[in-house]
Amino acid sequence: MNSHLPVMLDRVRALLRPALDVEGAVLIDATVGRAGHARALLADHPSLALIGIDADETAIAECARLLAADASRVTLVRARYDQIPAIVADLGCPLVRGVLFDLGVSSPQLDDPARGFSYSQDTPLDMRMDRGQSLTAAEVVNTYPAGRLAGVLREYGEERFAARIASAVIRERANEPVTSSARLAEIVRAAIPAAARRSGGNPAKRTFQALRIEVNDELGTLTRAMPAALDALGVGGRIVALAYHSLEDRIVKRELTARSSDRTPPGLPVPLASHRPQFRLLTSGAERPTEHEIAANPRAASARLRAAERVRAAA
Ligand SMILES: C[S@@+](CC[C@H](N)C(=O)[O-])C[C@H]1O[C@@H](n2cnc3c(N)ncnc32)[C@H](O)[C@@H]1O
């Protein structure tokens, strides 16, 4: 998450090592960010080729600079990660031996007031990863009807007071559009019961998470991207995914578990060879960062890591 301190880096390296130690191996870093993980993996594997994807043009430009010394084995693509099939096809179907997802927002995005991700600074309500798209957080807040806004806050923010917050936003925006993060944070704070304000950190956190997920269609994109990423991997290839909230972790878990399970219909006397699992899980449950890592990099605190290896080609 933090570009200077890539999250669970040693674990990511160890999990990908057996897959990437192969001549001609290609790694897709689907969220290349500021190349924190990518740089370490390129250093670990001198013949590795990297396809680095990011929806954010600033991230891609920064990666081009950071990875300049390895430019001959790096391909950077500005795209959403659900475009993996088209990207792999365009590049001539390389030997994909690894896929890495380090989901969510990067530290530079959080820290740049112009991007509007942070509720702790007063910023314009933007929150787009891809600034080429038109939907912004301001548009969600100022145009969604109350029911739809409450649904976003409830579903993506797991916000108990979604309906109260949505009503307060609708009231406030009738006077003047809500365009700044500080004003939205204040509306949220005022809308929730006083007792709830005293517990659980900044009350705006869940609302901001929900808006970010909605603006970037994060869950829809990840739901499409996970199967595509698994399909891109050859036998022996490995996937590692770092999620930062339970909604995205659930999508990762569901897909990895489904692909690692026997799909023989119940009731048959023996498992069907064609329905054997294509993957095996490399992690038991979600792995978490150590206390030591969290102390050094508080933004790692919510990370949940899952990984799997392809053991069988697609039928
Ligand atoms: C946590 S950061 C990755 C940090 C990176 N691993 C590093 O070590 O520098 C997540 C990155 O994913 C990108 N991102 C988020 N959603 C995306 C999507 N749907 N498609 C492509 N990139 C996305 C963000 O722009 C951000 O740069």
Side-chain angles (χ1 to χ4, degrees), residues 31-37 54-56 79-81 102 104-105 109 129:
T31 52
V32 70
R34 291 302 186 278
H37 293 96
D54 205 292
D56 182 347
R80 289 195 177 222
Y81 45 59
D102 180 18
V105 191
Q109 288 168 332
M129 303 272 180

Side-chain angles (χ1 to χ4, degrees), residues 1-7 9 29-39 53-57 59-60 63 66 77-82 100-109 115 117 129-130 216-218 221-222 242 244:
M1 212 181 199
N2 181 313
S3 59
H4 302 293
L5 296 171
V7 172
L9 177 62
D29 185 337
T31 52
V32 70
R34 291 302 186 278
H37 293 96
R39 243 193 323 182
I53 302 173
D54 205 292
D56 182 347
E57 63 194 349
I60 292 294
C63 278
L66 291 162
V77 186
R78 181 187 162 209
R80 289 195 177 222
Y81 45 59
D82 60 351
L100 174 63
F101 284 96
D102 180 18
L103 299 164
V105 191
S106 67
S107 288
Q109 288 168 332
R115 304 302 298 269
F117 285 107
M129 303 272 180
D130 168 3
N216 298 293
D217 184 23
E218 288 183 20
T221 313
L222 184 60
L242 283 157
Y244 294 88

Side-chain angles (χ1 to χ4, degrees), residues 147-298:
R148 185 165 177 205
L149 185 56
V152 166
L153 302 184
R154 192 177 303 114
E155 198 180 330
Y156 299 157
E158 300 179 285
E159 173 58 70
R160 279 194 290 156
F161 304 111
R164 295 171 71 135
I165 295 170
S167 309
V169 167
I170 307 292
R171 251 192 334 270
E172 288 289 324
R173 80 186 191 195
N175 297 328
E176 196 187 337
V178 180
T179 54
S180 91
S181 61
R183 177 142 175 256
L184 179 61
E186 182 45 37
I187 294 169
V188 174
R189 208 189 64 81
I192 69 173
R197 269 179 235 152
R198 285 191 289 273
S199 60
N202 192 321
K205 184 176 172 185
R206 289 182 295 277
T207 293
F208 275 64
Q209 171 183 303
L211 291 174
R212 201 194 83 202
I213 292 174
E214 173 70 5
V215 166
N216 298 293
D217 184 23
E218 288 183 20
L219 304 184
T221 313
L222 184 60
T223 301
R224 292 186 293 277
M226 281 300 295
L230 294 173
D231 287 344
L233 282 170
V235 173
R238 291 181 166 206
I239 183 167
V240 176
L242 283 157
Y244 294 88
H245 56 77
S246 56
L247 299 168
E248 60 190 15
D249 182 51
R250 208 173 296 156
I251 295 170
V252 172
K253 177 182 173 183
R254 199 176 51 213
E255 192 61 31
L256 294 188
T257 308
R259 294 286 190 112
S260 308
S261 309
D262 193 298
R263 295 178 187 200
T264 301
L268 292 189
V270 285
L272 298 176
S274 57
H275 288 55
R276 285 203 317 269
Q278 293 175 358
F279 284 80
R280 77 178 171 99
L281 296 176
L282 299 169
T283 45
S284 131
E287 293 186 9
R288 310 297 302 257
T290 61
E291 291 301 318
H292 185 255
E293 174 168 1
I294 295 169
N297 181 13

Side-chain angles (χ1 to χ4, degrees), residues 6-70:
V7 172
M8 300 182 78
L9 177 62
D10 289 342
R11 191 65 184 128
V12 170
R13 286 167 121 162
L15 281 163
L16 289 175
R17 185 165 296 123
L20 301 185
D21 259 343
V22 167
E23 202 47 44
V26 172
L27 167 71
I28 299 177
D29 185 337
T31 52
V32 70
R34 291 302 186 278
H37 293 96
R39 243 193 323 182
L41 292 163
L42 285 166
D44 286 350
H45 306 280
S47 72
L48 177 69
L50 172 84
I51 300 172
I53 302 173
D54 205 292
D56 182 347
E57 63 194 349
T58 313
I60 292 294
E62 274 298 292
C63 278
R65 192 179 63 75
L66 291 162
L67 300 176
D70 288 308

